Amino acid sequence: MTTSDEQPPYSPDPMDALTRLRNPATQRTDPKTQWLLEAGLAAISTSFKEKRTPAALPLNVVWPTQERVIACYREQRGDPKATRGLLDHRWRTMSDYYFDLLAWALHPGHYASHRGMAQDAARHVVGAGDLSVVARGIALAELADVFASPIFRMKLLICVMEPVAPAFHHALARYYGAATEWWSEAYRAILLAAGLELRSEIRMETFAALMSAMEEGLALRYVACPEEFDHDIEKLAHSLALGALALINGATAEPGDATTLAEYLQRRFGRGDQS
């Protein structure tokens, strides 16, 4: 949380993330700049969904060409006269456009729905009659948000770069840092209402990162092998909810309980030897 005198850790305006514009002072506020970025994301989404011919390479470059961005722009804006000059006026090269496209898409201010889910989570969980049902609902909403945009797949492609380009690394780090902050606040409120606290060796940031990693890991598994979940995102959400509940169970303790996670598990596993 920040006081009125403190600056928030990120800007709520995703347009502030753009650094490769020819004239940032004026072009960030130009609606056509955002429309061109939306067109780029639409083009990437389409490329991921296109069926490959038998002769096509299984992995195609996902970055859209200048022509494809403009084609999507024309379709989205109903402007058949739009030309590549719209891009040339704002970005010197397509590489500049790609950097801004990723930074804009990953900027925390662009993830209002994700942040909103984190802010609403505590309200839904506290006082819930059936925690498992609420957990599945939150998991389903989160996964639907993950699959609704091309960013998840883009992140996977970026992370296999060696090394990750500094601009991409900065955009990803900024997003994950903000997401960890959002969810840490939600988990802190939930545990407080339940009269629980994290075990001493588990930091809240670590707990939030583990939750996010579990979500993205299961999402990756679904993308790679949806038949494992019968092509049903609700079954995927059920698995995520089970994992979240299991993590909460092991990571928390009653206030004043100094038992570490290792000691807690040793007690449970040791019961069989003592009977």
Side-chain angles (χ1 to χ4, degrees):
M1 300 295 291
T2 61
T3 67
S4 59
D5 296 329
E6 294 175 328
Q7 292 297 319
Y10 56 87
S11 168
D13 182 3
M15 304 304 283
D16 287 348
L18 307 184
T19 61
R20 300 296 184 96
L21 290 166
R22 287 179 183 265
N23 300 298
T26 57
Q27 290 168 354
R28 280 190 182 128
T29 59
D30 182 351
K32 291 184 179 180
T33 299
Q34 180 171 339
W35 297 340
L36 287 166
L37 293 166
E38 289 283 3
L41 288 180
I44 292 173
S45 294
T46 300
S47 71
F48 277 124
K49 298 174 183 177
E50 286 177 341
K51 293 183 178 180
R52 309 299 182 205
T53 64
L57 291 174
L59 290 176
N60 286 4
V61 177
V62 298
W63 296 116
T65 64
Q66 194 175 49
E67 291 73 19
R68 190 155 194 176
V69 172
I70 294 302
C72 287
Y73 180 93
R74 290 173 185 150
E75 181 179 353
Q76 289 182 339
R77 305 308 309 171
D79 182 4
K81 296 182 179 180
T83 69
R84 56 190 295 173
L86 286 172
L87 282 168
D88 293 336
H89 177 64
R90 289 164 179 79
W91 291 275
R92 289 182 175 84
T93 68
M94 285 303 287
S95 292
D96 288 335
Y97 172 76
Y98 297 149
F99 272 99
D100 274 355
L101 177 64
L102 178 70
W104 177 77
L106 286 179
H107 192 277
H110 200 68
Y111 276 70
S113 60
H114 186 64
R115 186 182 188 189
M117 280 182 246
Q119 293 174 326
D120 288 342
R123 178 171 58 84
H124 290 301
V125 171
V126 174
D130 189 336
L131 189 58
S132 63
V133 172
V134 175
R136 281 199 300 273
I138 295 173
L140 181 60
E142 274 284 290
L143 289 166
D145 190 60
V146 167
F147 294 131
S149 77
I151 307 305
F152 174 64
R153 290 175 173 82
M154 290 169 66
K155 286 191 293 186
L156 296 177
L157 291 174
I158 291 165
C159 288
V160 299
M161 296 171 60
E162 182 58 43
V164 174
F168 293 168
H169 170 78
H170 178 66
L172 288 169
R174 180 175 51 194
Y175 166 71
Y176 281 123
T180 295
E181 179 186 341
W182 301 335
W183 284 104
S184 291
E185 291 179 3
Y187 298 141
R188 194 173 287 111
I190 291 170
L191 295 182
L192 180 64
L196 296 172
E197 58 186 29
L198 291 176
R199 298 184 185 278
S200 59
E201 74 270 36
I202 303 175
R203 297 169 60 244
M204 180 57 74
E205 293 78 8
T206 301
F207 180 81
L210 288 171
M211 284 285 201
S212 295
M214 183 161 47
E215 176 191 58
E216 291 197 339
L218 282 169
L220 173 59
R221 189 154 182 159
Y222 186 84
V223 169
C225 191
E227 59 270 22
E228 182 179 350
F229 304 92
D230 297 329
H231 299 268
D232 187 347
I233 192 174
E234 291 196 9
K235 290 188 176 181
L236 178 67
H238 177 67
S239 297
L240 177 56
L242 288 177
L245 293 174
L247 181 60
I248 292 172
N249 181 61
T252 60
E254 300 287 340
D257 183 353
T259 305
T260 66
L261 180 58
E263 291 169 341
Y264 170 70
L265 290 174
Q266 184 58 43
R267 290 178 185 177
R268 297 198 68 185
F269 279 88
R271 288 178 180 175
D273 298 333
Q274 297 172 0
S275 61

